[in-house]
């Protein structure tokens, strides 16, 4: 785990004005040594940040870069009591917040600039380059038995859509693909990975992991095998992730409260409006079995209803879906 080196934030702020800055002037302005400036510049380069360096002139950031800043995020939160930690680097934010389970009584959040072992659903890897996207995990104590959480992942996807649409103007409406992908026009924009652990008191702790592709414009085909997009790709704009993170926390706070009070039924209409599978021919991979049929939406537990080719409707509690036509 790597705590945030604040020199990274300060130097990127300084280098974001499209002007060259040399090591001495950066050091003087930030009141750090030239050696510390050099170390930080090397670190940014090591993370794959494009820095232009010209002898006698100094350094310049080629593309916009606003790093995560816990203070900025907190200043925009509706409920300030949230425990928020912003890290420079971590294996997986989900695994990090898991360590707080024994004592956690409120919302504990970890957001990282880079994950070295980002986890996706079904043991996939989640591509997590430094400084581009949002890698977010929330540890949430539910006063419910784990068996009552059916449908939670659907609600988290809806909260993610709401958070994004509250701060970014996108031409197409965001859609959801059961169980928990957020799409723009069939391209994946965000995904969620939920892990839950029962407690001895009959309640449970849930780790809600959310990855949103924000400013990523390119990725190696080996790194992401699905069709993907990002907010910068669909809007043509650079997005300040601090504003997006605050919106995500505010939105989750509201949606999870409603889920605790009213359950999934409160969200069924909202799900139907965003469901991109409904009445379409799809395939569903459940364990090692592949099923094909027409999606008929969800039931009260959030299970997918699939009208199989033999006309029987079967409910599935888990699986991976693909839109066929
Ligand atoms: C998926 O669609 O496969 C789920 C992706 C979940 C990725 C997020 S990023 C933050 C959190 N930490 C992880 O290691 N994974 C989740």
């Amino acid at each position: 785990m790597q705590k945030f080196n604040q020199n990274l934030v300060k130097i990127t702020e300084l280098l974001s004005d499209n002007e060259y800055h040399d090591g001495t002037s950066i050091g003087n302005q930030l009141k750090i040594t030239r050696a510390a400036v050099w170390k930080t510049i090397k670190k940014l380069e090591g993370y794959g940040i494009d820095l232009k360096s010209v002898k006698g002139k100094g350094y310049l950031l080629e593309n916009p870069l606003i790093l995560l800043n816990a203070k900025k995020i907190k200043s925009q939160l509706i409920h300030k009591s949230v425990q928020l930690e912003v890290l420079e680097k971590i294996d997986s934010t989900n695994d990090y917040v898991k360590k707080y389970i024994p004592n956690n009584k409120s919302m504990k959040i970890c957001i990282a600039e880079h994950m070295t072992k980002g986890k996706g659903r079904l043991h996939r890897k989640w591509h997590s380059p430094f400084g581009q996207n949002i890698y977010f995990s929330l540890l949430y104590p539910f006063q419910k038995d784990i068996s009552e959480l059916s449908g939670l992942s659907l609600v988290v996807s809806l909260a993610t859509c709401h958070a994004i649409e509250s701060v970014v103007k996108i031409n197409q409406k965001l859609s959801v693909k059961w169980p928990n992908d957020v799409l723009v026009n069939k391209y994946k924009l965000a995904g969620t990975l939920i892990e839950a652990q029962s407690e001895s008191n009959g309640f449970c702790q849930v780790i809600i992991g959310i990855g949103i592709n924000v400013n990523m414009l390119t990725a190696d085909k080996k790194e992401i095998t699905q069709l993907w997009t990002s907010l910068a790709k669909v809007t043509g704009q650079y997005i300040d992730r601090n504003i997006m993170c605050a919106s995500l926390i505010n939105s989750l706070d509201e949606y999870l409260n409603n889920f605790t009070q009213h359950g999934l039924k409160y969200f069924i209409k909202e799900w139907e409006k965003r469901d991109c599978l409904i009445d379409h021919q799809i395939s569903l991979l459940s364990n090692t079995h592949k099923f094909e049929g027409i999606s008929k939406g969800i039931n009260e537990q959030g299970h997918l209803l699939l009208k199989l080719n033999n006309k029987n409707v079967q409910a599935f509690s888990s699986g991976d879906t693909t839109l066929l036509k």
Side-chain angles (χ1 to χ4, degrees):
M1 186 269 283
Q2 194 139 359
K3 293 246 175 205
F4 223 111
N5 175 344
Q6 286 308 307
N7 287 343
L8 276 178
V9 180
K10 290 180 192 156
I11 290 186
T12 48
E13 273 172 7
L14 234 163
L15 298 184
S16 288
D17 60 358
N18 234 359
E19 306 268 339
Y20 282 97
H21 297 263
D22 65 44
T24 312
S25 78
I26 297 173
N28 289 341
Q29 287 182 67
L30 302 184
K31 300 195 172 51
I32 56 175
T33 61
R34 275 197 67 182
V37 173
W38 189 81
K39 220 173 129 187
T40 312
I41 296 278
K42 287 289 142 207
K43 195 169 211 187
L44 281 170
E45 286 174 343
Y47 281 136
I49 302 301
D50 293 327
L51 277 168
K52 208 166 171 187
S53 151
V54 173
K55 239 189 169 162
K57 282 172 123 185
Y59 307 97
L60 173 123
L61 262 175
E62 300 241 73
N63 298 305
L65 178 65
I66 303 173
L67 292 183
L68 294 169
N69 181 330
K71 262 196 203 149
K72 252 193 189 178
I73 299 172
K74 275 205 147 184
S75 69
Q76 297 165 63
L77 297 184
I78 296 169
H79 295 118
K80 309 277 179 202
S81 59
V82 171
Q83 294 176 61
L84 171 65
E85 219 174 331
V86 175
L87 302 177
E88 190 180 307
K89 181 164 94 171
I90 190 73
D91 46 4
S92 154
T93 53
N94 264 29
D95 290 345
Y96 182 73
V97 295
K98 211 174 274 174
K99 295 175 188 148
Y100 289 87
I101 284 183
N103 304 312
N104 183 53
K105 303 231 165 12
S106 62
M107 285 171 83
K108 163 82 192 164
I109 292 167
C110 167
I111 312 170
E113 283 291 9
H114 171 48
M115 292 194 296
T116 52
K117 286 188 188 147
K119 302 192 295 184
R121 283 181 67 238
L122 308 170
H123 306 290
R124 294 188 188 115
K125 275 201 209 147
W126 188 255
H127 185 49
S128 318
F130 178 90
Q132 299 188 18
N133 301 320
I134 291 177
Y135 319 117
F136 172 104
S137 293
L138 159 66
L139 180 62
Y140 195 86
F142 267 106
Q143 298 201 342
K144 281 176 183 273
D145 183 78
I146 213 161
S147 61
E148 296 171 76
L149 295 185
S150 167
L152 173 65
S153 68
L154 281 60
V155 173
V156 170
S157 303
L158 292 176
T160 306
C161 291
H162 175 75
I164 295 171
E165 287 179 347
S166 303
V167 292
V168 182
K169 199 171 167 347
I170 306 172
N171 287 337
Q172 303 105 310
K173 192 173 166 69
L174 297 180
S175 61
V176 286
K177 183 170 82 65
W178 188 91
N180 46 15
D181 284 352
V182 172
L183 310 182
V184 182
N185 196 14
K186 298 185 190 157
Y187 288 75
K188 182 157 170 171
L189 179 69
T192 65
L193 175 66
I194 297 195
E195 303 176 73
Q197 201 162 304
S198 288
E199 294 202 299
S200 52
N201 55 11
F203 298 152
C204 63
Q205 297 275 352
V206 180
I207 295 145
I208 296 170
I210 303 175
I212 307 177
N213 297 331
V214 183
N215 292 311
M216 184 164 70
L217 293 173
T218 55
D220 199 304
K221 279 219 169 70
K222 275 185 278 164
E223 305 289 1
I224 312 185
T225 50
Q226 295 158 297
L227 287 177
W228 68 274
T229 191
S230 69
L231 290 173
K233 269 176 167 255
V234 293
T235 62
Q237 279 168 8
Y238 184 83
I239 313 280
D240 183 345
R241 292 167 301 144
N242 294 299
I243 298 171
M244 185 58 68
C245 285
S247 179
L248 186 60
I249 298 170
N250 289 334
S251 174
L252 283 167
D253 199 1
E254 179 192 330
Y255 277 64
L256 295 176
N257 272 329
N258 281 324
F259 180 71
T260 306
Q261 281 183 46
H262 313 290
L264 180 66
K265 62 177 185 302
Y266 187 87
F267 298 96
I268 298 276
K269 286 233 153 66
E270 193 173 333
W271 178 269
E272 285 170 353
K273 279 190 204 149
R274 293 201 187 266
D275 184 358
C276 72
L277 298 181
I278 196 141
D279 290 331
H280 284 87
Q281 184 79 20
I282 67 160
S283 75
L284 179 134
L285 193 64
S286 180
N287 296 319
T288 50
H289 282 81
K290 197 170 176 186
F291 299 85
E292 277 195 18
I294 296 174
S295 167
K296 288 288 159 198
I298 54 168
N299 66 13
E300 287 167 359
Q301 285 86 43
H303 298 169
L304 183 82
L305 299 171
L306 188 61
K307 188 170 180 184
L308 300 166
N309 293 337
N310 65 10
K311 305 281 183 269
N312 287 342
V313 176
Q314 196 173 326
F316 291 88
S317 62
S318 64
D320 205 27
T321 52
T322 308
L323 199 55
L324 293 179
K325 282 180 212 156

